[in-house]
Amino acid sequence: MAAGRKRVGVLISGRGSNMVSLAEAAQAPDYPAQIALVLSNIPDVAGLDRARGFGIATATVDHRAFGKDREAFERATDEVLRVNQIDLVVLAGFMRILTPWFVTRWEGRMINIHPSLLPLFKGTHTHRQALEAGVAEHGCSVHFVVPELDAGPVILQAKVPVLPGDDEDKLAQRVLAEEHKLYPAALAEVASGRARLEGGVVIRG
């Protein structure tokens, strides 16, 4: 691997389609990040097999083993990330709401992708929210993670038109195609230092 590439840990809970787009991008010799670990909170999900296909190390920290103690689960996850010398954490379909303890520990070093043009349509069912609101444009955002859900400063966004006859599935497919391009671009911005979090805002350059 090229010197100076940031070691990235990708957290998943399922098939890991965004993880695959990141792993493909990281194969380029000039890409500033290496996908060093894929970690799931659910055993045996498809994304783990897909990661192994790229030769990426994998791990599982089953959240169910910790009951309702979210922080204990996160401490175990944090330990795996530390042992694997992870520099940046990327959330890719990771279906756990993180506590302030974990978010603060990785502040400025953890990013997430959300299927809307934030600050519009936080939370779940974003495509349904967009259709019900009657917006002309929808899309996706990559942002730094902060304790408040889906409220972190945006790094990059991609837009898609909302077309006549769209339903949730059609709109979701169009947004997902953009996610697969946007996430590698945003990770490259952060890993290279061209985008960083300072004082609650994204600083560029």
Side-chain angles (χ1 to χ4, degrees):
M1 295 294 175
R5 297 179 82 186
K6 296 292 187 182
R7 290 177 59 83
V8 174
V10 183
L11 304 190
I12 66 170
S13 296
R15 60 197 173 104
S17 71
N18 270 312
M19 176 274 297
V20 169
S21 71
L22 294 168
E24 289 174 345
Q27 290 180 321
D30 59 346
Y31 194 75
Q34 169 196 356
I35 309 305
L37 177 71
V38 173
L39 184 150
S40 175
N41 64 303
I42 302 173
D44 303 321
V45 294
L48 293 173
D49 286 334
R50 298 173 86 175
R52 293 182 194 111
F54 284 94
I56 300 169
T58 62
T60 300
V61 180
D62 190 342
H63 70 274
R64 294 168 294 190
F66 299 89
K68 295 183 178 180
D69 192 341
R70 292 164 57 203
E71 190 172 307
F73 159 73
E74 291 174 357
R75 287 183 181 278
T77 298
D78 184 76
E79 175 67 12
V80 175
L81 296 171
R82 189 191 66 78
V83 167
N84 283 273
Q85 299 178 303
I86 297 304
D87 300 308
L88 300 171
V89 173
V90 171
L91 307 181
F94 185 65
M95 304 306 291
R96 301 286 296 171
I97 296 176
L98 296 165
T99 70
W101 178 84
F102 191 87
V103 173
T104 301
R105 189 168 178 81
W106 287 93
E107 183 177 4
R109 297 183 294 147
M110 180 162 55
I111 63 175
N112 182 46
I113 192 161
H114 183 74
S116 82
L117 297 174
L118 291 172
L120 296 175
F121 315 131
K122 297 178 181 180
T124 58
H125 306 298
T126 58
H127 310 305
R128 184 189 309 168
Q129 291 185 61
L131 290 169
E132 289 176 348
V135 295
E137 288 184 320
H138 189 39
C140 48
S141 308
V142 179
H143 63 94
F144 283 106
V145 179
V146 299
E148 184 184 345
L149 185 66
D150 299 331
V154 170
I155 301 161
L156 290 176
Q157 291 184 319
K159 296 179 180 180
V160 301
V162 179
L163 302 176
D166 268 348
D167 58 20
E168 285 183 64
D169 288 339
K170 291 177 183 176
L171 192 53
Q173 288 173 11
R174 207 152 59 248
V175 170
L176 187 61
E178 292 301 318
E179 288 184 27
H180 290 166
K181 294 181 284 186
L182 186 71
Y183 220 174
L187 176 57
E189 290 289 295
V190 175
S192 67
R194 293 192 300 268
R196 60 192 186 277
L197 183 64
E198 288 186 12
V201 298
V202 176
I203 304 297
R204 302 191 182 278

